[in-house]
């Protein structure tokens, strides 16, 4: 680097040391950022990253200098275009990109600017009173009119498409309507970390969606583990609870007289006894009558409309019902 001026040589050394020191190094565009806003950006981001604005050729020389130590860092050279800053941080690229994007602020358009996206003016009232401004809006291609003493936008319209030039008349009208199509802030072109260069396409992620995907994946993994009986610190308590429920169901079905099963079996038997006793009219002691009197009444049978067929069914049901003597003998067998 003998052909490089002394001050440039020192500047390249400083940038190279910066790249060696920090695990994350990036290229950011500072195109059209006014000096006051640049100072504000430095202040707001000083706890998260270091920003150094130098000439592009010096950045490239510094990258060449550290290329042997930093695998594939030379890929950053392809992202250098126009006014550029070198940035460095200890944060991971995704967190750093999110912080930088959140610090951007809206900026009005100027005549001759290229629209960054489709610019839409929506229909509805404006705060302006009737006057020459109606003509200004119309000359800018905005469908403005006067209605009930106010200037209104008659219909929603895309006044300029992405990539088209914004005219001075439209830029002024958009500013009056407080439509600011641009954002002031660092425009990160790429961030290098551990041999990988992350571009904005890689860094722009939906945190809520990613969190939801992880939650769903974890739930699916737990469900699969339970289904196949795969034991992990997370699934063992769930598998034991499932095994307990299954064992209890089998014990109840087989009437196994075990201490955890017996109260449930007795409760079931008691309910069946009440159901049977409620169908008897004689032979019940006073205590049982009192219990039945306080118990909910059994559901009444459905009434069906019809003639002889209904009577026939009722007769068959009466023939199938046990006699009172049989019912009482059943109660005796139930309780010994």
């Amino acid at each position: 680097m003998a052909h490089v001026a002394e001050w440039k040589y020192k500047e390249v050394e400083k940038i190279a040391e910066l790249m060696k020191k920090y695990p994350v190094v990036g290229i950011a565009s500072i195109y059209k950022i006014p000096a006051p806003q640049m100072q504000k950006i430095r202040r707001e981001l000083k706890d998260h990253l270091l920003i150094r604005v130098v000439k592009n050729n010096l950045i490239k020389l510094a990258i060449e200098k550290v290329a042997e130590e930093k695998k594939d860092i030379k890929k950053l050279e392809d992202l250098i275009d126009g006014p550029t800053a070198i940035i460095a941080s200890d944060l991971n690229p995704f967190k750093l990109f999110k912080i930088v994007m959140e610090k951007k602020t809206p900026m009005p358009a100027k005549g001759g600017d290229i629209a960054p996206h489709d610019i839409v003016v929506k229909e509805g009232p404006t705060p302006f009173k009737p006057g020459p401004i109606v003509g200004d809006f119309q000359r800018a291609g905005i469908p403005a009119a006067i209605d009930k003493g106010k200037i209104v936008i008659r219909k929603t319209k895309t006044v300029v498409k992405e990539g088209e030039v914004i005219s001075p008349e439209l830029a002024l009208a958009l500013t009056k309507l407080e439509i600011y199509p641009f954002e002031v802030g660092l425009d990160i072109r790429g961030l290098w970390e551990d041999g990988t260069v992350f571009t904005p396409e890689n860094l722009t992620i939906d945190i809520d969606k990613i969190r939801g995907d992880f939650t769903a994946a974890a739930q699916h993994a737990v469900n699969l583990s339970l289904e196949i009986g795969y034991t992990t610190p997370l699934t063992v308590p769930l598998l034991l609870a499932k095994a307990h429920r299954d064992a209890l169901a089998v014990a109840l079905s087989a009437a196994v007289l075990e201490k955890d099963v017996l109260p449930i079996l007795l409760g079931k038997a008691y309910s069946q006894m009440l159901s049977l006793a409620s169908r008897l009219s004689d032979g019940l002691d006073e205590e049982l009558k009192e219990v039945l009197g306080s118990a909910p009444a059994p559901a009444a049978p459905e009434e069906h409309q019809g003639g002889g067929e209904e009577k026939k069914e009722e007769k068959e049901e009466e023939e199938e019902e046990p006699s009172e003597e049989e019912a009482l003998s059943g109660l005796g067998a139930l309780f010994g």
Side-chain angles (χ1 to χ4, degrees):
M1 296 179 61
H3 60 286
V4 180
E6 182 66 22
W7 70 271
K8 291 183 179 180
Y9 179 82
K10 291 181 179 179
E11 190 65 30
V12 169
E13 287 291 332
K14 289 179 182 178
I15 301 171
E17 288 301 317
L18 192 69
M19 293 179 177
K20 292 177 183 178
K21 180 180 178 181
Y22 289 91
V24 175
V25 179
I27 298 296
S29 171
I30 56 172
Y31 179 65
K32 284 194 172 182
I33 300 181
Q37 276 76 13
M38 190 65 198
Q39 292 175 359
K40 181 182 178 183
I41 290 170
R42 287 180 184 274
R43 288 195 305 269
E44 291 181 346
L45 296 175
K46 66 179 181 179
D47 295 332
H48 306 292
L49 76 159
L50 189 147
I51 305 170
R52 195 169 186 89
V53 179
V54 292
K55 292 185 177 182
N56 292 350
N57 64 320
L58 299 184
I59 297 176
K60 292 179 180 180
L61 288 171
I63 291 174
E64 294 285 346
K65 194 173 183 62
V66 300
E68 292 186 3
E69 298 180 34
K70 302 279 189 176
K71 179 186 176 183
D72 286 339
I73 199 170
K74 289 186 69 174
K75 291 181 179 179
L76 290 178
E77 292 183 7
D78 299 332
L79 306 176
I80 299 173
D81 183 31
T84 303
I86 188 83
I87 58 177
S89 176
D90 289 321
L91 298 176
N92 73 70
F94 296 94
K95 188 172 183 179
L96 178 61
F97 183 80
K98 184 174 182 291
I99 291 172
V100 171
M101 292 299 293
E102 289 174 348
K103 294 297 181 180
K104 288 191 174 185
T105 56
M107 184 178 72
K110 295 180 181 179
D113 285 342
I114 304 298
H117 51 74
D118 290 355
I119 300 175
V120 178
V121 177
K122 295 184 178 181
E123 68 173 307
T126 73
F128 304 107
K129 295 180 179 180
I133 193 172
V134 177
D136 295 339
F137 285 160
Q138 291 175 344
R139 282 190 292 274
I142 299 173
I146 298 174
D147 183 34
K148 297 179 181 179
K150 279 190 176 182
I151 296 176
V152 299
I153 309 301
R154 291 186 289 106
K155 64 179 181 178
T156 300
K157 181 180 179 182
T158 300
V159 291
V160 62
K161 293 186 176 295
E162 180 181 353
E164 295 180 348
V165 178
I166 300 174
S167 68
E169 295 81 9
L170 180 57
L172 182 60
L174 291 174
T175 301
K176 288 180 179 179
L177 291 171
E178 296 185 353
I179 298 174
Y180 305 132
F182 293 93
E183 289 183 320
V184 177
L186 290 177
D187 182 16
I188 292 180
R189 300 281 180 80
L191 295 172
W192 177 95
E193 182 189 43
D194 196 23
T196 301
V197 173
F198 298 93
T199 60
E201 291 77 16
N202 309 130
L203 297 168
T204 304
I205 59 175
D206 186 336
I207 299 296
D208 293 333
K209 182 179 182 302
I210 295 296
R211 185 180 291 112
D213 290 344
F214 270 106
T215 301
Q219 186 61 57
H220 293 328
V222 171
N223 292 341
L224 178 60
S225 298
L226 293 176
E227 191 67 25
I228 65 175
Y230 186 76
T231 57
T232 69
L234 178 63
T235 61
V236 164
L238 300 175
L239 287 169
L240 290 175
K242 182 176 182 294
H244 179 267
R245 290 194 302 271
D246 293 343
L248 183 59
V250 172
L252 290 173
S253 179
V256 177
L257 301 181
E258 197 269 341
K259 65 176 183 179
D260 291 333
V261 182
L262 193 57
I264 303 175
L265 288 173
L266 289 174
K268 182 180 178 183
Y270 184 75
S271 298
Q272 291 173 341
M273 179 273 294
L274 290 180
S275 176
L276 181 59
S278 66
R279 301 168 67 180
L280 303 176
S281 57
D282 299 320
L284 302 179
D285 60 27
E286 295 301 322
E287 182 179 355
L288 188 53
K289 288 181 180 178
E290 185 178 350
V291 171
L292 287 173
S294 61
E302 291 185 34
E303 293 184 2
H304 300 281
Q305 293 183 353
E309 185 177 351
E310 178 184 0
K311 292 181 179 179
K312 182 180 179 182
E313 291 177 356
E314 290 177 356
K315 185 176 180 181
E316 290 176 355
E317 289 177 1
E318 289 175 359
E319 291 176 354
E320 292 174 359
E321 287 183 359
S323 66
E324 292 186 7
E325 293 180 359
E326 291 174 341
L328 287 172
S329 102
L331 282 175
L334 182 63
F335 292 98

